[in-house]
Amino acid sequence: MASSGNELREEVRRRYAESARAVTGEGDGCGCGSGSCCADDSAATAIGSARFGEALYEAEQRGELPDAAVLASLGCGNPTAVADLHEGEVVLDLGSGGGIDVILSATRVGPTGTAFGLDMTDEMLALARHNAREAEAANVHLLKGVIEQIPLPAASVDVVISNCVINLSTDKAAVLTEIARVLVPGGRIGISDVVAEDGLSAAERAERGSFVGCIAGALSKGEYEAGLEAAGFERISVEVTHRVADGMHGAIIKAVKTHERDVRSQPAMLQQTAAGCC
Ligand SMILES: C[S@@+](CC[C@H](N)C(=O)[O-])C[C@H]1O[C@@H](n2cnc3c(N)ncnc32)[C@H](O)[C@@H]1O
């Protein structure tokens, strides 16, 4: 039976709180030690169980980070490698987890720039704050909130990044609309996420893995493109990078915000909660 949006979000929050506790040694029995229990599906080993996210960071980048930030990496890509950040820019990392991408971004934008991390899970925020302090990243600001309602003013961010989080949202239309709202005109996104091949139904995605394991909630490539276009983005690209399950892939999503659009023009698929999942 499909869960409601609120129940699913709470399940996601619980799972990632447990992952954060596993990294700090406070976990009570997921048995995987490093937080990698987040991808519990056999289909999702490429995302979490094999610590795939961590492997996507160059040794040089890992060297810039506290060990706990690397251990807490639960992403499916490396958005800082594609976002082309510049000195002085304001960056927002959606679902910042243990802080790996927000800390790397802070270094890229330098002392005149700002790196915001947004997450809904207290345990992840505490871990990221600890890691940012260890990395002496004074320009990191961690915010508590949900990516469907970003707690920042309109047109206040140059670049939005995110690593394996948008698939976990129960209202993707709201997320894409909020990204467009907070970006300055000409602002850009560099996002890593799981995407399904076009034509894979919601039920088929759910057969390949759970919602909390970053599989069942993945948009298809076409749905991502249509959603971004409806939210006011141009120069959209969804580039598949690696297979995570049959017909499902890690991908890099890039686009530029050029104009505003009304959320009512969002395709229906992005406004569903969790049809066919779990
Ligand atoms: C798969 S982890 C990825 C963490 C981090 N981006 C990384 O690469 O290690 C997902 C993170 O997103 C957060 N998250 C999931 N759904 C969210 C939502 N709707 N709003 C805010 N944070 C959310 C979780 O708390 C968790 O920290």
Side-chain angles (χ1 to χ4, degrees):
M1 190 171 65
S3 312
S4 76
N6 283 345
E7 284 168 3
L8 267 180
R9 183 187 279 170
E10 181 51 25
E11 202 182 325
V12 169
R13 198 201 57 73
R14 271 201 308 271
R15 177 61 65 95
Y16 289 97
E18 180 55 36
S19 299
R21 284 194 291 268
V23 172
T24 56
E26 296 159 36
D28 60 0
C30 76
C32 46
S34 69
S36 55
C37 49
C38 310
D40 55 353
D41 313 277
S42 55
T45 51
I47 298 174
S49 305
R51 307 256 303 278
F52 189 82
E54 177 187 330
L56 287 165
Y57 294 84
E58 300 287 335
E60 192 185 326
Q61 284 189 309
R62 292 201 298 267
E64 292 174 34
L65 294 158
D67 288 348
V70 177
L71 277 175
S73 169
L74 297 170
C76 47
N78 179 351
T80 58
V82 296
D84 191 24
L85 303 176
H86 305 295
E87 286 270 332
E89 287 190 316
V90 177
V91 185
L92 168 64
D93 181 14
L94 298 180
S96 41
I100 187 163
D101 296 308
V102 78
I103 294 170
L104 287 171
S105 298
T107 311
R108 302 291 177 276
V109 299
T112 58
T114 302
F116 288 107
L118 172 64
D119 207 288
M120 67 177 179
T121 304
D122 287 321
E123 291 81 352
M124 277 296 184
L125 286 164
L127 179 59
R129 287 196 177 103
H130 170 84
N131 288 333
R133 267 195 308 275
E134 279 227 331
E136 298 180 17
N139 54 343
V140 166
H141 299 276
L142 292 155
L143 309 171
K144 181 170 179 179
V146 292
I147 62 175
E148 295 81 1
Q149 224 176 336
I150 298 173
L152 285 174
S156 59
V157 172
D158 296 302
V159 187
V160 171
I161 63 169
S162 184
N163 197 347
C164 225
V165 179
I166 294 177
N167 69 79
L168 292 169
S169 171
T170 54
D171 189 350
K172 282 136 176 116
V175 177
L176 300 183
T177 303
E178 277 291 89
I179 294 174
R181 181 184 68 79
V182 298
L183 278 174
V184 296
R188 58 201 193 278
I189 62 170
I191 289 172
S192 299
D193 207 356
V194 175
V195 299
E197 285 174 13
D198 290 327
L200 212 60
S201 69
E204 286 167 333
R205 295 173 215 182
E207 277 165 23
R208 284 153 174 76
S210 72
F211 193 87
V212 295
C214 299
I215 298 290
L219 293 173
S220 73
K221 184 173 183 291
E223 288 160 356
Y224 239 121
E225 289 164 345
L228 285 167
E229 195 184 342
F233 287 89
E234 289 182 357
R235 287 156 57 192
I236 298 163
S237 76
V238 178
E239 188 192 327
V240 160
T241 52
H242 56 279
R243 179 188 181 278
V244 297
D246 189 19
M248 309 206 48
H249 307 271
I252 291 166
I253 297 106
K254 291 202 246 179
V256 176
K257 174 196 163 172
T258 52
H259 55 277
E260 310 280 352
R261 288 248 182 106
D262 192 317
V263 67
R264 283 170 295 186
S265 64
Q266 285 281 8
M269 168 65 194
L270 279 78
Q271 292 175 345
Q272 73 166 37
T273 50
C277 110
C278 310

